[in-house]
Amino acid sequence: MKIALISPKGVGMGTNAENKRTAELYKQLSDVDSLKELMSCPNSPLLTIAALATPYFEEVVYIDEEIEEINFTDDYDLVAMSFMTQQASRAYELAIKFRELGVYTICGGMHPTNVPEQTAQYFDTVFIGEGELTFKLFAEDFKSGNPKKFYKNNSVIDMKNTVIPRYDLLKIDKYRTIPVQISRGCPHNCVFCASTKVYGAKYRHKDVEQVINEINCIKKLKNKPHIYFTDDNMLVQSDFSINLLKKFQDTGIRWMSHTDVEVAKNRKVLELLYASGCRKLVIGFESIIPNSLKNMEEWKFKRLDFYEEAIKTIQSYGIGVWGTFIVGLDQDDTSVFQRVVDFTLKTHLYGAMISVPTPYPGSVLYDNLDKENRILTKHWGSYTLWNVVVQPKRMTAKELEDGFEYVLKSIYSKEATLERRDYFKKLFAEKRR
């Protein structure tokens, strides 16, 4: 039997006119390599499912629609997809096509977990929550000819028992960055985030040796790989982080990940980051407007006054901070655009990911805006974080669209890029002394 694991196209290839317009905007910007590293990345959950599927299927195929076309004439017994909201519209299209061809279709991931009933209109089987245990149940049912419509995980997955993803299935030279998941769960509960509903608030992680084994598997396939640790909050547990970073020093990798601003207070972790191969950390600042941040996440609001000091501290250790910001929140007026530009330039941020309010299903933001009838479209392909899909409160949708473009062009202008490069050349040179 043959199974195809397909990652549907989303942001990178564009699924509608809005996305193509935004893609054209990004082509005009200077120095967005780090953003491309985040975007041009394999589908980590699917590679894990591939490992789980291996004992049950004679042939396992991984297809990433961002880098290759799907051959619909291939004779698959089963097609599996894992996708986020921005990929959902395309995933539905593919499911319809494969079902017309008589292929059994299954799916899981963030979006199917949060809107299972809608997703079930397109797929034969839908997985809800983490899939390590439920996929094995499904595989047995599928083999016996009695698969169920839904498989819901009701257990907390022990990360120490997870399998090594099938990195060998990748056309690995097509990717700049390879994903590795160390942990699941985040203690914060930002209103825009749907991840906590899937993984929960409790931080769970693999053993250090598990992580090193995964890195070694990747190194056998790709020389000097750049690793993207996809965790929501990688460095939240100090003792584990310290042990992990010490082990990284022997691997020769370069890597990036997500963490929160508290890492700036952990000197032991900061002192190990550069030697471990870390060069960039993504930190969700979300907003520098006090009322906006307070309504988004109380924990982050209490640390707003610490943002500038934290950036300076982290970058003094040779680690570039990649900050994320949302513009156009309910407490924002049009002054937010210049304020974000000024903040990023003043703090010499390594990079910034600017987004507009995007109500992912499963998030508090979605529930609130849906009740207020302020969601402008539910074409999921528009939910890229760059397209205006909600009606702002203190500005027009056009003002938000124009302001978003202004922020991007200002931060990634040639002048700002040259200044940023000069700053980090000096910073890294000092670190190597």
Side-chain angles (χ1 to χ4, degrees), residues 108-219:
M110 203 70 68
H111 189 82
T113 290
N114 288 316
V115 284
E117 296 294 338
Q118 181 194 87
T119 308
Q121 297 174 34
Y122 301 92
F123 287 83
D124 295 303
T125 290
V126 176
F127 290 80
I128 302 170
E130 297 169 277
E132 278 85 356
L133 300 178
T134 49
F135 183 83
K136 294 177 182 179
L137 296 174
F138 163 79
E140 295 290 349
D141 291 344
F142 184 73
K143 284 277 191 178
S144 64
N146 190 34
K148 299 180 180 64
K149 187 67 176 178
F150 296 99
Y151 289 82
K152 184 175 182 179
N153 177 63
N154 294 311
S155 303
V156 177
I157 301 299
D158 185 348
M159 296 292 287
K160 295 176 177 60
N161 296 325
T162 55
V163 296
I164 294 179
R166 287 285 308 272
Y167 297 111
D168 60 295
L169 295 178
L170 295 175
K171 294 178 174 64
I172 202 159
D173 290 335
K174 296 284 188 179
Y175 298 99
R176 302 175 60 166
T177 305
I178 307 301
V180 173
Q181 186 184 55
I182 296 173
S183 65
R184 295 174 188 168
C186 178
H188 310 311
N189 192 20
C190 300
V191 298
F192 59 84
C193 183
S195 179
T196 304
K197 187 173 179 180
V198 179
Y199 291 138
K202 184 179 179 181
Y203 183 80
R204 299 165 282 145
H205 61 78
K206 298 175 180 176
D207 285 332
V208 171
E209 290 307 317
Q210 277 180 281
V211 181
I212 299 302
N213 286 340
E214 285 194 33
I215 290 171
N216 287 336
C217 285
I218 294 169
K219 287 175 64 178

Side-chain angles (χ1 to χ4, degrees), residues 214-428:
E214 285 194 33
I215 290 171
N216 287 336
C217 285
I218 294 169
K219 287 175 64 178
K220 290 177 182 177
L221 300 167
K222 189 177 183 70
N223 187 38
K224 295 181 179 179
H226 183 270
I227 305 294
Y228 170 32
F229 294 111
T230 59
D231 308 40
D232 289 323
N233 202 337
M234 176 182 166
L235 302 172
V236 71
Q237 198 173 91
S238 182
D239 290 344
F240 172 69
S241 297
I242 289 169
N243 291 333
L244 190 67
L245 298 179
K246 287 179 179 177
K247 285 288 186 178
F248 281 175
Q249 293 181 20
D250 299 324
T251 64
I253 62 170
R254 292 287 180 266
W255 62 272
M256 63 186 296
S257 190
H258 302 254
T259 191
D260 64 44
V261 73
E262 283 290 287
V263 73
K265 298 178 181 178
N266 194 327
R267 300 290 169 165
K268 290 182 179 179
V269 169
L270 291 173
E271 289 168 357
L272 290 168
L273 281 172
Y274 192 90
S276 75
C278 180
R279 294 296 180 269
K280 296 183 284 290
L281 286 176
V282 181
I283 296 180
F285 297 112
E286 318 313 351
S287 179
I288 54 169
I289 309 301
N291 286 339
S292 294
L293 195 57
K294 187 174 185 179
N295 281 273
M296 188 183 308
E297 220 276 342
E298 185 72 19
W299 186 91
K300 293 184 179 182
F301 169 70
K302 291 178 180 178
R303 287 153 181 81
L304 177 58
D305 291 340
F306 180 56
Y307 277 7
E308 287 191 34
E309 179 185 343
I311 294 167
K312 183 177 181 180
T313 299
I314 295 167
Q315 295 192 154
S316 73
Y317 283 83
I319 308 301
V321 174
W322 182 268
T324 67
F325 302 90
I326 305 172
V327 294
L329 295 162
D330 281 359
Q331 287 71 37
D332 291 351
D333 57 30
T334 55
S335 68
V336 68
F337 307 120
Q338 189 61 53
R339 292 172 73 175
V340 170
V341 170
D342 292 344
F343 180 85
T344 57
L345 298 181
K346 177 184 177 182
T347 56
H348 300 286
L349 276 172
Y350 185 91
M353 179 181 286
I354 311 301
S355 63
V356 295
T358 306
Y360 290 122
S363 68
V364 174
L365 183 64
Y366 179 90
D367 293 339
N368 291 343
L369 292 175
D370 201 34
K371 288 175 185 175
E372 297 173 13
N373 293 315
R374 290 171 54 202
I375 297 178
L376 300 176
T377 178
K378 291 185 180 178
H379 177 272
W380 304 124
S382 297
Y383 281 54
T384 62
L385 297 172
W386 307 334
N387 299 320
V388 177
V389 295
V390 304
Q391 179 58 54
K393 257 193 177 179
R394 298 174 182 250
M395 63 185 80
T396 66
K398 182 67 165 58
E399 286 175 324
L400 176 52
E401 188 176 279
D402 291 344
F404 169 74
E405 184 171 334
Y406 169 76
V407 174
L408 279 181
K409 287 184 174 180
S410 298
I411 293 173
Y412 292 104
S413 67
K414 289 183 179 180
E415 295 78 14
T417 295
L418 288 173
E419 184 177 358
R420 186 161 48 244
R421 285 178 178 172
D422 287 343
Y423 176 85
F424 279 94
K425 281 179 182 177
K426 293 176 183 176
L427 187 68
F428 294 150

